[in-house]
Amino acid sequence: MGMPTVALVLRGNNNAIEGSILTVYVRIILNRKPSYISTKVKITRKQWDVKNSVVVSHPSAQQFNVKIRNVYNKVLQNINKQDMEGSSYTSKSLKSVFGSNDQHNIFNFVEKYSKDVRSKRELGTITNYDKHVRKLEEFHGSRNLTFEEIDVDFLNRYENYLRTEGKVGKIKEDMGLGNNYVHLLLRTLRTFFNAARKQKIITVYPFDTYEFPSYQAKIKDYLTLSELAMWESFADETPNGVLKQTAIYFLLGCYTGLRISDWKVFSIEKHIVDNRLLLRATKNKEWVSMEISKPLARTINRIKQTPLTIEEPTLNEKLKVIAGKLGIMKKLTSHSGRHTFAITLCAEMGMSSENCANLMGITVKTCIDNYYRVTRDKLDSATRHAWKNLT
């Protein structure tokens, strides 16, 4: 059996009129029989340099050529692989790397990666992987995108899109996403690159030379102990069923540090054992748990009578309603419960950042950066003690 020959060719209707759109293919000739793999790059005949097999005079020529070369190289790599394994060539085997399981396609990779790490990540993290990769699909316009096509120019255009047009369906004056969400979306994309590189699927890594947008730390709103007491009273006294649900499950977040995705699946039967709350399973299948505090015990008793039936948008909306009724002038979201746990119940109670991080399932650095900065009350108390003898 002869060695396959590989070339890049432009194909389409032979009778196509001047200026018609044609497709660039990788042509494989095996035993005198040609087969073709589409690169999905579409151009006119004038935009194809036959001698050098490259796209010219097209606004996306550089991007197209990367895409074309990637498909071409994958065919050659597969030929070399089959040579080393002593396998027989067939048109099907040479095309096999372009099936739906092609891990160079970032969307295929993310789908598999999310399944592989599902037991090692929080449910909220897995959910965010899906949400964030959909933003990438919105920008690119399809799920036909390889890691190799994402270079620094691609990242800059993606960032600009997120800042100017990222809010699909919003009014024109408010189309862009906020800086920190843009940072988060690009950070997630970098996570996928790191994982693919670790698995030796890719060698490309545009983040080495890409100027990453900086995260702008914000003061996170949370409840104080006195505000929590008012919140509990409201949860017990309000006759409004939706507000009662909102108040009770927000208290669950405040007293446990659990995210809203965990509130939805919280079960007293499954997550409370021997007066301890099971928080999450670790990589070695052991559970991280904590003793049930008195405030949490009160909240659990409320939960027994009040199942959660409302969705996150409604809950976030009603949090603001409750805060207004209690005179709490803070911008609360479901995540503010997590901040309350970290700051009010852990940092300001003297718990170490290591223990807080373990309970919350985050790194110590994240815990310190986000929650363990010195609060004003602690700073005032420390300075008063240090300077009490000054005259």
Side-chain angles (χ1 to χ4, degrees), residues 110-124:
V110 172
E111 184 176 347
K112 182 176 183 301
Y113 177 70
S114 295
K115 292 178 182 176
D116 291 343
V117 301
R118 189 170 295 278
S119 62
K120 305 173 186 178
R121 302 285 189 276
E122 295 292 330
L123 176 61

Side-chain angles (χ1 to χ4, degrees), residues 9-213:
V9 296
L10 197 63
R11 297 187 75 211
N13 187 342
N14 289 332
N15 298 319
I17 61 174
E18 187 71 18
S20 294
I21 300 299
L22 306 174
T23 302
V24 179
Y25 284 83
V26 176
R27 183 185 63 198
I28 305 168
I29 298 180
L30 180 62
N31 298 329
R32 298 183 180 180
K33 294 182 179 180
S35 60
Y36 298 88
I37 298 172
S38 173
T39 67
K40 297 184 172 57
V41 169
K42 298 181 182 296
I43 53 175
T44 65
R45 199 173 299 278
K46 283 187 176 181
Q47 292 168 333
W48 181 243
D49 182 338
V50 177
K51 181 179 179 181
N52 297 302
S53 298
V54 293
V55 178
V56 294
S57 304
H58 190 284
S60 300
Q62 183 179 1
Q63 181 184 350
F64 282 175
N65 285 325
V66 170
K67 189 172 185 176
I68 291 166
R69 191 55 53 181
N70 174 55
V71 177
Y72 180 83
N73 287 340
K74 283 172 68 176
V75 173
L76 295 183
Q77 289 166 8
N78 200 25
I79 290 172
N80 291 335
K81 179 174 178 290
Q82 293 189 50
D83 268 341
M84 293 177 66
E85 294 174 350
S87 304
S88 298
Y89 302 117
T90 65
S91 294
K92 184 176 181 180
S93 70
L94 293 178
K95 291 182 176 183
S96 63
V97 291
F98 297 93
S100 60
N101 294 322
D102 175 20
Q103 292 297 286
H104 283 262
N105 179 299
I106 190 167
F107 298 102
N108 293 343
F109 176 84
V110 172
E111 184 176 347
K112 182 176 183 301
Y113 177 70
S114 295
K115 292 178 182 176
D116 291 343
V117 301
R118 189 170 295 278
S119 62
K120 305 173 186 178
R121 302 285 189 276
E122 295 292 330
L123 176 61
T125 300
I126 299 298
T127 301
N128 281 338
Y129 286 167
D130 180 59
K131 287 168 59 178
H132 295 178
V133 82
R134 274 189 270 128
K135 278 293 176 193
L136 183 64
E137 184 180 356
E138 285 173 11
F139 166 70
H140 186 61
S142 77
R143 294 179 66 86
N144 181 31
L145 177 66
T146 63
F147 282 101
E148 288 79 4
E149 293 174 74
I150 303 175
D151 55 12
V152 174
D153 176 65
F154 182 100
L155 291 175
N156 284 326
R157 288 186 290 107
Y158 182 41
E159 180 183 344
N160 182 63
Y161 165 81
L162 294 174
R163 293 186 185 282
T164 58
E165 303 177 49
K167 290 185 181 178
V168 175
K170 299 295 183 180
I171 59 174
K172 188 173 183 180
E173 290 76 11
D174 186 29
M175 292 292 281
L177 298 172
N179 179 79
N180 286 353
Y181 194 43
V182 172
H183 171 91
L184 179 61
L185 290 165
L186 288 163
R187 192 177 70 188
T188 301
L189 183 57
R190 184 174 62 186
T191 296
F192 301 147
F193 266 86
N194 288 336
R197 192 163 62 161
K198 185 176 181 180
Q199 294 178 29
K200 301 188 185 306
I201 292 172
I202 61 169
T203 57
V204 296
Y205 195 72
F207 292 98
D208 280 339
T209 52
Y210 169 64
E211 187 173 345
F212 213 88

Side-chain angles (χ1 to χ4, degrees), residues 316-330:
N316 280 317
E317 175 192 340
K318 299 308 179 185
L319 282 175
K320 296 173 177 60
V321 172
I322 296 173
K325 288 179 177 291
L326 297 177
I328 299 173
M329 308 309 293
K330 296 178 178 179

Side-chain angles (χ1 to χ4, degrees), residues 346-369:
C346 294
E348 294 188 348
M349 291 292 183
M351 183 183 290
S352 71
S353 57
E354 290 82 1
N355 286 336
C356 179
N358 192 33
L359 290 174
M360 297 183 71
I362 56 178
T363 65
V364 174
K365 182 180 184 306
T366 299
C367 187
I368 292 173
D369 288 348

